[in-house]
Amino acid sequence: MRAWVLGIVLASTGTAAMAADQEQRSAEPVAAEQSLDFAQVFGAADLSGQQPKALRLSPDGTLLTSLRPRADDRDRYDLWVRDTRTGAERMLVDSAKVGSGAELSEAEKMQRERARIGGSRGIVAYDFAPDGRSILVPLDGDLYLATLDGQVRRLTDTPGGELNAAVSPKGGFVSFVRDQNLHVQPLAGGPSRALTTEGSGTVHFGEAEFVAQEEMDRRTGYWWSPDERYVAVQRFDEAPVQIATRAAIGATGTKVYQQRYPAAGTPNVLVDLYVMKPDGTGRVKVDLGRNPDIYLARVDWLPDGSALLVQRQSRDQKTLDMLRVDPATGKATLLFTEKAGAKSWLNLSDAYRPLADGSLIWRSERDGYGHLWRFARGRWTQLTKGSWVVTGLVGVDEGKGRVFFTGNRDDVLEQHLYAVDIAKPGDPMRLTDRGWWNAATMDGAATRLIVTRSSPNQPAQVYLADAAGKRLSWINENAVAAGHPYQPYLPSHRPTQFGTLKATDGSTLHWKMITPPLEPGRKYPVFFQHYGGPSNQQVTRGWAGTIPQFLVDRGWIWFQIDNRGSDNRGKAFADQIYRAMGTVEVEDQLAGANYLKSLPFVDASKVATYGWSYGGYMSLKMLEANPGVYAAAVAGAPVSDWALYDTHYTERYMGDPKTEATAYAASAAVTDASKIKDPLLLIHGMADDNVFLDNSTAVAARMQQSATPFEMMFYPGQTHAVGGSGVAEHLWRTILGFLDRTVKDRK
């Protein structure tokens, strides 16, 4: 529990309660403050405190490893190790000393973009050997093996680079993809062997295809059996996928890529799955069914290695089959099928676990909310239930019959860690404190937890806990005290307020707001930030970063609201965007804007809105649907026409454009771009391989053809996440310069 309190976090559903609170706080004396500025927010030091990433416990639980940013470079990470018994910690691998500095292959750059770590440098991933005595470290396109005494041995030295590197389950091999083929190399040393050789051109082995990485949260294309007898390997052929010419426009030149991009309604890759021995012999093809137009969603081995579990998803994402596959023959047997409703879809999840007794812990939304079930001997038992959702599976203690998971049973704005009994499921036991947004990982034996938590007033903290949730030690207390980079700005830190509104169908919409210290009679402009897309929740009791406080220091009220279609509220809430993107989301954001304008301290003529990606799409749709409501809008990297976006994401919600042409036409933002009458700033990275620059240039062309004024800032060399040294500051100076001129300082 934090020792300092920055302000009251109130849950209010009405204007009167807010006004009373504002009146009380406006009379409070204001301490001397140091305001946040561009140099601090976007400088080398992260004001939220240095945050470790990729935290893991060694197989025996005695060591905790993590990636930590360097003090002088927030984007470069080194590998650190900590003894969980003594607390002693040290840098194990210095990325600046060990790395070669070689440029990454284009394939690895794209994988990093898919994983949202495109701006990170140094060590971004690692893998423990099963005995816990060494760690595989990919760095600058090659592989290294670090031992616990600090020695580092280089395993590969090739120009092509290695992808998807892993240590096999018993520690016999290092495996990786090189030149579109799967290779294995003895961990003890020796040359690598190619298990596949046919990979070239449009054919890939051991990799995940574009939509698997970008939309399905599957990063690899091969899977070792626990006993190392077999390895399952995906083969995909991009030949059917249309070629999109993408120009990556940089500062000193342009590279043109003929990228295989499966836009909605067009062919996907052809996928096959094989099982083979570690020397590449004995290859058998898995029977994935007669229909080739499917998604290979997930692949796992049973704990004893006797069979594969393969999740096969239909192209329309309304059917998910669980197959049990014999690795010796490739024969598949259907275990069960999940079906979506007529006006719904199936969400993929990693919240499942095959157990040693042959049963399966499985997350399903079959009762309208995401909950855990147990599948055993053909029968289902529900482990959790209620009008709340399980957000993730953290661990399973098979010996004690306990399942650990995250969910929002206590509060939709909070994520907590819970435990429930498998044999006699009852009310889950909460293992984390109220008032926080928590995430957790667990060791394989389910004896230790790594818990990461944050609140509106506390940047992320990380601690080690036992299986009962009791904190054993801090991993990163990150206390905002003397020496913390955010400590000088505590006097100006403003509390976050929460409340609710009703949508037109009666649904409850949650919002959050941060205001400057309010002066009686004064009205303030609003920075109304939104996302709006599915599978996402913005309004939580977690740390929102320093940018909202930075905006408040500059005199803005900061506001967000989660519309219908957003995540963690159950299927009925999410399904309202089915075949209808750009409808209820826009309507609910309008409800938020109207609520803001009803508040006595808000300048109703100065509500500006901002969004990125789906939020950028929403900025366009909001201006088109409601002229005059928003004083100005910023649209960052927007999808302007869903027919331009990829198959797995778009068709999940919108269907096939060949059969849903009317829905696609209605959802497009480019069609009505000429109707925009309010100030607009359009922003895009000029090397974006996710939401292609074509989306923004189409909007720009439509507005120019109709002589509709707008402003534009495109970033050479930048991808979907515009940022990096200097660029992030330029981006936000551009945004705020535009909004100050068109909204805040307008007379």
Side-chain angles (χ1 to χ4, degrees):
M1 193 64 87
R2 290 302 301 162
W4 49 272
V5 179
L6 297 176
I8 299 172
V9 176
L10 76 100
S12 167
T13 57
T15 305
M18 280 195 58
D21 174 74
Q22 301 294 356
E23 182 178 351
Q24 176 184 350
R25 289 195 295 109
S26 65
E28 295 173 356
V30 179
E33 299 177 356
Q34 182 174 343
S35 297
L36 291 162
D37 204 352
F38 288 99
Q40 291 84 36
V41 174
F42 303 104
D46 187 344
L47 293 186
S48 297
Q50 285 196 351
Q51 298 297 338
K53 291 185 176 181
L55 292 102
R56 295 181 188 171
L57 289 164
S58 63
D60 63 1
T62 61
L63 299 175
L64 185 147
T65 49
S66 63
L67 301 178
R68 295 190 182 184
R70 301 175 75 89
D72 58 348
D73 187 346
R74 65 197 293 179
D75 295 323
R76 173 175 281 276
Y77 289 83
D78 303 308
L79 179 62
W80 285 69
V81 63
R82 173 189 179 127
D83 191 310
T84 59
R85 298 157 297 186
T86 66
E89 58 184 10
R90 56 195 167 88
M91 184 189 292
L92 188 64
V93 181
D94 184 329
S95 65
K97 292 182 178 179
V98 173
S100 65
E103 183 176 359
L104 299 175
S105 67
E106 190 65 21
E108 185 167 356
K109 289 178 183 178
M110 293 302 98
Q111 280 199 359
R112 291 191 179 194
E113 284 296 318
R114 304 285 78 77
R116 306 296 187 261
I117 55 172
S120 298
R121 299 186 301 279
I123 303 170
V124 299
Y126 62 94
D127 192 25
F128 260 109
D131 62 6
R133 297 178 182 177
S134 57
I135 301 174
L136 178 66
V137 180
L139 180 59
D140 297 341
D142 278 304
L143 304 180
Y144 299 81
L145 190 70
T147 51
L148 299 182
D149 60 1
Q151 298 298 309
V152 180
R153 174 165 60 94
R154 189 167 188 162
L155 297 179
T156 65
D157 187 0
T158 60
E162 286 77 34
L163 300 173
N164 304 344
V167 180
S168 60
K170 296 178 72 68
F173 303 96
V174 172
S175 49
F176 52 86
V177 174
R178 179 193 293 153
D179 297 329
Q180 300 175 205
N181 286 289
L182 181 63
H183 296 247
V184 298
Q185 181 171 322
L187 188 64
S192 64
R193 171 198 293 266
L195 271 62
T196 65
T197 57
E198 311 97 301
S200 66
T202 60
V203 175
H204 299 247
F205 283 89
E207 297 178 59
E209 69 271 31
F210 172 87
V211 294
Q213 295 180 45
E214 178 64 35
E215 310 298 359
M216 298 163 62
D217 202 25
R218 177 167 65 79
R219 310 293 181 192
T220 188
Y222 70 92
W223 302 265
W224 283 97
S225 67
D227 55 11
E228 293 188 2
R229 290 180 60 207
Y230 299 107
V231 58
V233 185
Q234 174 185 345
R235 174 192 186 273
F236 72 83
D237 186 352
E238 295 181 295
V241 180
Q242 69 176 14
I243 297 176
T245 301
R246 176 174 64 88
I249 304 171
T252 58
T254 298
K255 294 182 179 179
V256 178
Y257 295 97
Q258 300 299 313
Q259 181 175 339
R260 300 276 179 173
Y261 188 89
T266 68
N268 278 315
V269 300
L270 294 172
V271 174
D272 292 309
L273 183 65
Y274 294 89
V275 180
M276 61 192 71
K277 295 179 181 179
D279 61 1
T281 64
R283 182 190 299 191
V284 298
K285 186 176 181 180
V286 172
D287 181 7
L288 295 178
R290 296 181 179 180
N291 183 3
D293 197 13
I294 53 97
Y295 294 107
L296 182 66
R298 299 287 188 270
V299 178
D300 298 273
W301 286 90
L302 291 182
D304 62 2
S306 62
L308 274 172
L309 293 181
V310 176
Q311 296 180 41
R312 177 182 64 194
Q313 187 182 43
S314 62
R315 174 70 182 257
D316 65 5
Q317 299 180 61
K318 289 178 173 291
T319 303
L320 183 68
D321 295 321
M322 176 64 83
L323 307 176
R324 179 188 172 109
V325 177
D326 182 344
T329 66
K331 180 180 178 180
T333 303
L334 179 66
L335 288 183
F336 61 84
T337 298
E338 290 271 5
K339 291 278 191 181
K343 295 184 178 181
S344 186
W345 61 87
L346 289 171
N347 292 306
L348 296 178
S349 172
D350 289 322
Y352 64 94
R353 179 76 59 84
L355 305 184
D357 63 4
S359 65
L360 176 72
I361 304 297
W362 177 257
R363 183 185 187 272
S364 173
E365 296 175 307
R366 63 185 63 187
D367 73 348
Y369 292 88
H371 281 298
L372 295 181
W373 300 67
R374 184 189 183 206
F375 181 74
R377 295 180 292 277
R379 300 184 61 183
W380 291 97
T381 302
Q382 189 166 6
L383 302 181
T384 65
K385 62 180 63 177
S387 55
W388 54 278
V389 301
V390 170
T391 53
L393 181 61
V394 175
V396 180
D397 186 336
E398 297 190 51
K400 295 181 179 178
R402 302 272 285 172
V403 176
F404 300 84
F405 63 92
T406 52
N408 60 8
R409 182 175 184 266
D410 288 86
D411 187 337
V412 71
L413 304 187
E414 298 177 7
Q415 179 170 277
H416 287 286
L417 176 67
Y418 299 89
V420 69
D421 189 87
I422 297 175
K424 297 180 180 180
D427 288 341
M429 177 182 295
R430 178 168 48 81
L431 306 180
T432 46
D433 295 332
R434 287 295 310 271
W436 300 81
W437 183 271
N438 298 270
T441 59
M442 207 168 197
D443 64 336
T447 63
R448 291 290 185 269
L449 288 154
I450 300 172
V451 180
T452 302
R453 70 175 191 176
S454 71
S455 75
N457 297 327
Q458 171 59 52
Q461 300 178 304
V462 187
Y463 63 88
L464 183 69
D466 62 19
K470 179 183 178 182
R471 187 171 71 232
L472 302 176
S473 63
W474 286 110
I475 297 170
N476 182 28
E477 186 177 7
N478 200 28
V480 186
H484 191 283
Y486 193 63
Q487 193 275 337
Y489 309 101
L490 283 183
S492 70
H493 183 95
R494 300 294 298 160
T496 303
Q497 304 166 60
F498 297 90
T500 61
L501 299 175
K502 290 292 185 182
T504 54
D505 72 336
S507 296
T508 298
L509 309 176
H510 291 269
W511 56 257
K512 62 181 176 181
M513 177 190 296
I514 307 174
T515 74
L518 301 180
E519 300 175 11
R522 182 178 173 185
K523 294 180 180 292
Y524 296 80
V526 179
F527 187 98
F528 184 173
Q529 184 170 335
H530 59 266
Y531 181 74
S535 301
N536 190 282
Q537 180 182 359
Q538 295 284 301
V539 179
T540 74
R541 296 192 198 279
W543 177 251
T546 53
I547 287 180
Q549 296 288 339
F550 166 64
L551 294 168
V552 169
D553 275 357
R554 295 175 64 88
W556 292 89
I557 293 171
W558 183 80
F559 183 86
Q560 279 188 306
I561 187 169
D562 276 340
N563 49 251
R564 284 170 288 171
S566 57
D567 209 8
N568 299 330
R569 296 288 304 279
K571 285 299 290 178
F573 190 83
D575 286 348
Q576 295 192 56
I577 63 164
Y578 181 80
R579 306 292 193 263
M581 281 181 166
T583 58
V584 294
E585 317 100 286
V586 174
E587 181 181 316
D588 292 349
Q589 296 295 324
L590 176 62
N594 288 335
Y595 172 69
L596 284 166
K597 294 185 177 193
S598 73
L599 300 175
F601 49 85
V602 167
D603 188 332
S605 68
K606 295 185 177 182
V607 177
T609 192
Y610 159 90
W612 198 273
S613 195
Y614 199 106
Y617 162 73
M618 287 282 290
S619 289
L620 299 175
K621 294 292 282 188
M622 288 159 68
L623 289 193
E624 292 166 3
N626 303 296
V629 170
Y630 305 100
V634 177
V639 177
S640 63
D641 183 347
W642 287 108
L644 298 175
Y645 204 57
D646 70 57
T647 52
H648 196 270
Y649 183 92
T650 310
E651 293 173 12
R652 185 186 318 156
Y653 311 113
M654 294 294 294
D656 188 334
K658 294 187 291 292
T659 59
E660 303 291 340
T662 301
Y664 271 81
S667 70
V670 67
T671 306
D672 292 330
S674 61
K675 295 181 179 179
I676 293 175
K677 303 304 178 186
D678 304 298
L680 169 68
L681 172 61
L682 188 62
I683 304 174
H684 217 117
M686 300 182 80
D688 194 334
D689 74 317
N690 180 2
V691 179
F692 286 3
L693 181 61
D694 298 14
N695 284 272
S696 281
T697 57
V699 171
R702 180 66 60 95
M703 297 183 75
Q704 290 163 350
Q705 289 162 4
S706 60
T708 303
F710 70 103
E711 298 185 29
M712 182 167 61
M713 177 61 69
F714 288 171
Y715 283 89
Q718 291 289 311
T719 55
H720 193 54
V722 173
S725 179
V727 176
E729 180 177 342
H730 183 277
L731 171 68
W732 279 93
R733 284 188 180 277
T734 300
I735 291 170
L736 290 179
F738 168 75
L739 293 180
D740 285 350
R741 174 168 31 86
T742 60
V743 181
K744 183 182 173 188
D745 298 335
R746 190 189 66 220
K747 301 299 183 182

